[in-house]
Amino acid sequence: MTKLPVAVVQAAPVPLDFKGGIDKAVSLARAAVESGAKVVAFGETFLGGYPLWLDEAPGAALWDHPGAKALHRIMLEQAVVANDERLLPLQELADASGAIISIGAHERVRRSLVNNQLTFRPGLPVMDHRKLVPTHGERLIWARGDGSTLGVHQAEWGRIGSLICWEHWMPLARAAMHNLGEDVHIAAWPTVRESHAVASRHYAMEGRCFVLAAGLVQMKDELLDGLERVGGDAAARELLEAIPGEVLNRGGSLIAAPDTRVIAQAGEGEETLFAELDLAEVGEGLTSLDTDGHYARPDVFELRVDTRAKEGVNWLN
């Protein structure tokens, strides 16, 4: 297969309400698959919604803030967990259609939250990628991932992997992923503003791969509605109502080719981008640039990647 039909779903999540978010994701992913897509990409933390109050709500970072604590409790209660049965409809859709579905979620690992970009693969377990470094205010809610979830999936047509948001500005993370030989890369963002678009197109050029840069659309009113869906909380509502403005994430998703050109570009509303990727362009691009091969200097530079899971506590018999 040299021609690969793909889709980027740019949509508003259902904030905080994970069940509602999964129902919406399945509906949108099914529509994309029925239109022929073999890869379907959603943005960062589509399941649960991006925690915009960290950036937008005055006081959200204050110690012991009652609204921030309430929202954190709700996210822990709603977050997906390993082998979560609520995710089965996405796995079943992947199994039935043969499509690969990439979607972001808040995941609970023991008693902490992590940012996970889940990849649903036909006939295989879900592949995790947990964000290595939460960015700035995100460190208030998310723990760090480790090297055990840096990887790619080998599909019949090639290799696909993902990174989340500012991981695209981590040179060594990019180098590790380029070593794995991606043909298609999912760049998951909360919104694809200009700098995010630059990073996505640069990744396509550097990695000689196609990049699906997937962003969200998110409104303040949707945050408030999501809070009510999960039972509401007066302190959390007060925090969210203090957010200025109405449109908080504006989409901007795009699909970039290995030479950086934009194949498809979304606007600011909800829409699904479609494109047919000519995978022959990957090999053609490698003629002039292979950052992991003929453009590398292993005699000068060496990268070691620790792929062991870091549990912190190991119980021995």
Side-chain angles (χ1 to χ4, degrees):
M1 180 189 294
T2 60
K3 299 295 178 69
L4 180 68
V6 301
V8 173
V9 178
Q10 176 173 287
V14 183
L16 302 174
D17 178 8
F18 279 72
K19 177 62 167 62
I22 290 166
D23 290 344
K24 182 171 184 177
V26 171
S27 176
L28 291 168
R30 180 176 291 113
V33 166
E34 290 175 351
S35 294
K38 289 300 181 183
V39 174
V40 182
F42 290 80
E44 180 178 6
T45 59
F46 182 87
L47 299 177
Y50 187 76
L52 282 159
W53 59 89
L54 298 175
D55 294 327
E56 305 290 346
L62 292 176
W63 184 265
D64 218 27
H65 191 292
K69 291 197 299 182
L71 287 165
H72 194 87
R73 170 183 54 78
I74 291 167
M75 292 173 69
L76 281 169
E77 293 168 351
Q78 291 285 317
V80 299
V81 296
N83 303 313
D84 198 317
E85 292 186 356
R86 293 175 297 173
L87 296 172
L88 285 176
L90 286 170
Q91 184 64 57
E92 290 167 354
L93 177 58
D95 292 342
S97 65
I100 293 168
I101 303 167
S102 174
I103 190 166
H106 303 276
E107 180 190 20
R108 180 170 177 158
V109 178
R110 298 194 299 277
R111 298 204 295 176
S112 286
L113 291 166
V114 295
N115 180 338
N116 194 349
Q117 189 73 15
L118 304 161
T119 301
F120 293 89
R121 308 171 293 169
L124 292 170
V126 64
M127 184 172 74
D128 298 309
H129 172 62
R130 298 183 181 122
K131 194 172 188 177
L132 292 169
V133 182
T135 300
H136 197 50
E138 295 173 356
R139 295 168 197 173
L140 292 168
I141 61 166
W142 289 325
R144 294 184 173 202
D146 58 36
S148 67
T149 66
L150 274 176
V152 297
H153 168 62
Q154 178 68 63
E156 59 181 5
W157 45 261
R159 294 181 177 182
I160 183 169
S162 65
L163 290 176
I164 305 168
C165 200
W166 279 33
E167 288 183 315
H168 292 88
W169 284 300
M170 296 175 67
L172 300 185
R174 297 199 312 267
M177 294 300 290
H178 298 335
N179 175 257
L180 296 175
E182 293 171 294
D183 298 287
V184 176
H185 174 79
I186 309 298
W189 303 93
T191 188
V192 188
R193 56 175 60 98
E194 182 181 7
S195 60
H196 300 168
V198 169
S200 299
R201 295 175 67 189
H202 173 268
Y203 192 100
M205 174 77 176
E206 184 180 74
R208 284 309 202 223
C209 59
F210 289 92
V211 172
L212 280 56
L216 310 176
V217 178
Q218 231 169 321
M219 309 285 285
K220 176 179 174 179
D221 285 348
E222 291 162 347
L223 281 173
L224 294 167
D225 177 67
L227 178 62
E228 294 308 309
R229 282 171 170 263
V230 295
D233 180 274
R237 185 173 188 86
E238 182 179 355
L239 177 65
L240 297 179
E241 285 178 337
I243 296 174
E246 293 299 324
V247 182
L248 305 177
N249 275 336
R250 297 178 177 272
S253 303
L254 61 85
I255 300 173
D259 62 359
T260 78
R261 76 184 190 281
V262 176
I263 300 171
Q265 174 74 64
E268 294 189 353
E270 289 193 299
E271 63 177 290
T272 298
L273 289 180
F274 291 95
E276 185 174 72
L277 311 183
D278 183 356
L279 298 178
E281 290 188 39
V282 173
E284 292 170 359
L286 289 168
T287 303
S288 56
L289 178 65
D290 179 4
T291 55
D292 186 61
H294 63 73
Y295 229 85
R297 285 293 304 273
D299 55 325
V300 179
F301 307 108
E302 182 180 6
L303 172 62
R304 299 178 64 188
V305 182
D306 188 345
T307 60
R308 293 174 296 174
K310 302 300 176 63
E311 301 292 343
V313 175
N314 294 296
W315 294 88
L316 304 178
N317 293 326

